[in-house]
Amino acid sequence: MANNPAASPRVRFAPSPTGYLHIGGVRTALFNWLWARKMGGSFVLRIEDTDQERSTPESVKVILDSLRWLGLDWDEGPEVGGAHGPYFQMQRLSLYEKYAQELIDKGKAYRCYCTKEELAAARESLRKDNPKAQFRYPGTCRHRKDRPDAPYVVRFNMEAVQREAVTYRDLVFGEITTPNREQQDFVLLRSDGVPLYNFGVVIDDLTMGIDLVMRGRDHMVNTPPQILLYEALGVKPPTFAHLPMMLSPKGEKLSKRHGAVSVSEYEKMGYTPGAVLNYLARFGWSCGDQEIFSLEELVDKFSFESLNRSDGRFDAKKFADVAFEHLKEPRLTSDADYSRHLHPFMAARGLGSVDEAMLRKAIGTVRARGRTLADAAERIEFYFRPVVFDDKAKEKFLTPDVVEPLQAMIACLSSLDSFDEGEIEQAIQQLLASRGWEMKEIAQPARVSLTGQKVSPGVFEMLAVLGREESIRRLRQGVQIARGTAS
RNA sequence: GGCCCCAUCGUCUAGUGGUUAGGACAUCGGCCUCUCACGCCGGUAACCGGGGUUCAAGUCCCCGUGGGGUCGCCA
């Protein structure tokens, strides 16, 4: 691309606090964050709370918490402050007022006294006369010289724009040209002085020194009027980069109808932040054939050249696989991180405090099995509580004929010097060889004794995690059941 | 409908004029094996259509077609 981004960019993520943090929004935030981190720039968080109908403080908290959980830290914004604050638009109203006045003074904007009702009526009558026509504000108040004592909005004056079209170079899509006849005298300030999206964004990006605006392609249509606004103010517009959209599996706009779309839902399902970010990063961006990335790798490898232009469809199965890959690989989720992320899921099962050293060893035995943290917690809990027997498992595998092998196993384990997995396996294999038994004969009885279930990690690795004392205790219990002397 | 954008397996994508069109997920076989997994091996599967340009086009151009975005005192 001819337009090179600045060396030390100032980028921003500007969500509106009207609900949860949408994964599409996370992807936008991620790409901005990656670029800032890679280039040593600044990632600014700004809250666009000008929709007073829908904005709530709870949503602000949810969004901030989600970003923190993901690890997308912001250099300036709510709670951390910064030199360009405040970072809530509703606290910047005087700024918008000031710039609006400047535009009015220059003849680039004007007060419009038309009421919503009048506009709605005009829209309606046009629709009746010519259903195909598109309503545009006719500029009724453009040249009014009087200043009635009535509510007004401030509108941009397209008449003051000389050029026929706006052309800009998008970092992803290349040169984009939009004819100005598509624009109209759009509203800058509402009658209550609160700015509309396009005006608020421009004034904030300008005053916050944002030099690269990276956002979803659904905003591409906002770029020309925003550029017109920068020009009317006599300043150079930032560079723009639009991202292809993430659509639903059916190709529609992604919404809650299509499953989980809020980050917190993935947190609850037991996906790690790294996995969420990984999946989202590979959506519209690629790096050769590599699929799995750590956050550090993403920072290192992100570039605009490898951003895609076409929209894609969200694929929950692929996402689930990425989540699993991250849990399997200690490089991506260390034992410490695994343990930390697993904690809430253990707590939910009443295991809020377990021995950390044992937990970490246990994690090693479920990494290749637990597809989510929730799943892992379920698979791991037997280590930390008395055995709960599955009736069918007990009936099928703890029968009188397994008493002897189980007892031999107990004796064998009792005689070991150390109790690590390798040594256990070696000793048991020797036992099997000497008696002419096969592993498959004793594996299920041992497994059911140790876990109560038919499905579990490998017998040797479980013994090593449980330790000699607990292992023998559970095996003895198995023997008792097999003998029929216990139920 | 106007304007803007996009177009490689079902999905995410590699590919920057010359490839048996590669990888991943999903799917289907098989192997490994103490259960379940992991892992490994292999199969099915794609350049939207039509015109150009070129010795040569998935790659460049044009036109269709299809899909998406957007047309508020929402963001």
Side-chain angles (χ1 to χ4, degrees):
Chain A
M1 295 291 123
N3 206 349
N4 286 318
S8 185
R10 286 182 61 81
V11 296
R12 46 69 166 182
F13 177 55
S16 60
T18 54
Y20 50 81
L21 182 57
H22 191 280
I23 50 176
V26 174
R27 179 163 153 273
T28 302
L30 171 63
F31 286 133
N32 277 285
W33 185 88
L34 289 175
W35 188 243
R37 291 294 167 264
K38 182 190 179 78
M39 302 301 286
S42 297
F43 178 64
V44 179
L45 179 61
R46 178 174 74 226
I47 304 297
E48 307 210 329
D49 53 356
T50 54
D51 183 344
Q52 296 173 85
E53 302 279 304
R54 299 194 301 147
S55 295
T56 65
E58 296 75 45
S59 296
V60 173
K61 184 178 186 307
V62 168
I63 288 168
L64 263 39
D65 285 347
S66 289
L67 288 172
R68 267 189 287 259
W69 177 73
L70 289 162
L72 300 180
D73 57 327
W74 51 99
D75 304 299
E76 295 174 30
E79 298 180 10
V80 307
H84 303 76
Y87 294 91
F88 287 81
Q89 289 191 317
M90 285 308 285
Q91 294 169 26
R92 301 169 67 84
L93 297 185
S94 60
L95 206 50
Y96 310 124
E97 169 64 34
K98 182 191 134 203
Y99 281 97
Q101 189 57 52
E102 181 186 327
L103 288 172
I104 291 172
D105 293 344
K106 285 177 170 175
K108 312 272 189 178
Y110 59 91
R111 294 187 172 87
C112 168
Y113 298 89
C114 299
T115 64
K116 277 184 191 173
E117 292 70 28
E118 288 166 345
L119 259 21
R123 228 182 286 269
E124 182 56 28
S125 95
L126 176 74
R127 200 163 57 82
K128 227 183 282 174
D129 293 354
N130 184 357
K132 287 181 179 173
Q134 177 179 161
F135 179 80
R136 288 197 180 78
Y137 179 70
T140 318
C141 298
R142 234 179 231 161
H143 302 293
R144 284 182 81 132
K145 286 289 175 277
D146 59 327
R147 294 187 53 171
D149 183 23
Y152 60 85
V153 300
V154 177
R155 283 184 186 272
F156 188 70
N157 183 8
M158 278 302 296
E159 221 175 40
V161 175
Q162 300 303 310
R163 295 184 296 108
E164 293 291 301
V166 171
T167 296
Y168 68 98
R169 184 166 289 280
D170 190 287
L171 247 31
V172 175
F173 290 92
E175 193 173 278
I176 306 289
T177 298
T178 307
N180 284 344
R181 69 184 136 76
E182 289 302 311
Q183 310 302 340
Q184 61 176 323
D185 288 1
F186 56 95
V187 176
L188 269 28
L189 285 184
R190 295 179 174 88
S191 41
D192 60 3
V194 177
L196 251 65
Y197 176 71
N198 276 331
F199 189 55
V201 163
V202 166
I203 300 308
D204 288 339
D205 286 342
L206 172 64
T207 54
M208 290 181 176
I210 302 301
D211 47 35
L212 172 60
V213 172
M214 211 186 315
R215 76 232 297 199
R217 188 174 64 78
D218 48 337
H219 283 291
M220 199 141 59
V221 77
N222 289 318
T223 306
Q226 289 180 12
I227 288 175
L228 255 16
L229 229 21
Y230 282 104
E231 290 176 348
L233 289 163
V235 298
K236 180 174 164 282
T239 300
F240 292 92
H242 291 94
L243 271 10
M245 303 201 37
M246 186 159 67
L247 305 169
S248 82
K250 281 181 279 182
E252 306 160 310
K253 202 160 182 173
L254 192 56
S255 72
K256 43 258 150 237
R257 288 187 57 242
H258 312 287
V261 289
S262 103
V263 220
S264 47
E265 287 179 85
Y266 289 98
E267 179 180 0
K268 283 181 200 135
M269 283 195 239
Y271 286 26
T272 58
V276 173
L277 264 15
N278 188 158
Y279 177 71
L280 263 17
R282 273 291 283 99
F283 206 101
W285 175 83
S286 61
C287 184
D289 282 342
Q290 189 172 351
E291 299 283 348
I292 303 300
F293 300 82
S294 68
L295 233 205
E296 294 69 35
E297 285 177 300
L298 289 176
V299 171
D300 182 48
K301 294 177 172 174
F302 179 77
S303 79
F304 284 92
E305 287 71 45
S306 39
L307 272 173
N308 229 116
R309 282 175 303 280
S310 48
D311 297 338
R313 300 179 185 211
F314 178 81
D315 183 353
K317 289 227 175 92
K318 177 97 176 190
F319 196 177
D321 180 69
V322 172
F324 185 32
E325 295 297 331
H326 275 252
L327 288 180
K328 265 192 307 206
E329 182 54 62
R331 181 181 73 86
L332 298 163
T333 308
S334 67
D335 282 348
D337 284 343
Y338 202 121
S339 167
R340 185 164 51 84
H341 290 308
L342 189 62
H343 186 265
F345 296 91
M346 294 292 280
R349 295 179 163 273
L351 294 167
S353 61
V354 298
D355 181 75
E356 180 66 16
M358 182 168 162
L359 178 60
R360 292 201 188 182
K361 278 195 272 181
I363 285 170
T365 71
V366 298
R367 270 191 188 272
R369 290 170 237 262
R371 306 192 78 89
T372 63
L373 291 161
D375 183 22
E378 188 179 340
R379 289 169 185 276
I380 223 171
E381 72 176 328
F382 77 89
Y383 285 112
F384 304 97
R385 57 173 33 136
V387 179
V388 178
F389 288 93
D390 171 77
D391 287 341
K392 282 185 183 162
K394 191 165 64 174
E395 204 175 303
K396 181 166 181 191
F397 295 109
L398 295 183
T399 50
D401 55 307
V402 305
V403 170
E404 190 193 346
L406 246 24
Q407 280 183 322
M409 201 170 161
I410 292 167
C412 172
L413 295 174
S414 306
S415 69
L416 287 178
D417 292 332
S418 73
F419 212 71
D420 63 75
E421 188 185 337
E423 179 142 353
I424 292 168
E425 172 158 12
Q426 200 178 15
I428 299 283
Q429 294 293 5
Q430 272 174 19
L431 170 70
L432 294 177
S434 70
R435 302 289 189 105
W437 293 335
E438 287 196 61
M439 184 63 193
K440 68 174 90 167
E441 295 174 63
I442 69 159
Q444 286 304 75
R447 184 184 323 284
V448 176
S449 299
L450 295 172
T451 71
Q453 307 294 314
K454 284 184 285 193
V455 171
S456 81
V459 169
F460 305 127
E461 54 184 339
M462 288 194 294
L463 289 168
V465 172
L466 288 167
R468 189 197 319 260
E469 197 184 327
E470 180 63 12
S471 294
I472 289 174
R473 215 185 57 70
R474 292 189 184 196
L475 288 171
R476 281 190 177 135
Q477 185 182 18
V479 168
Q480 284 190 307
I481 293 171
R483 272 188 182 134
T485 55
S487 60

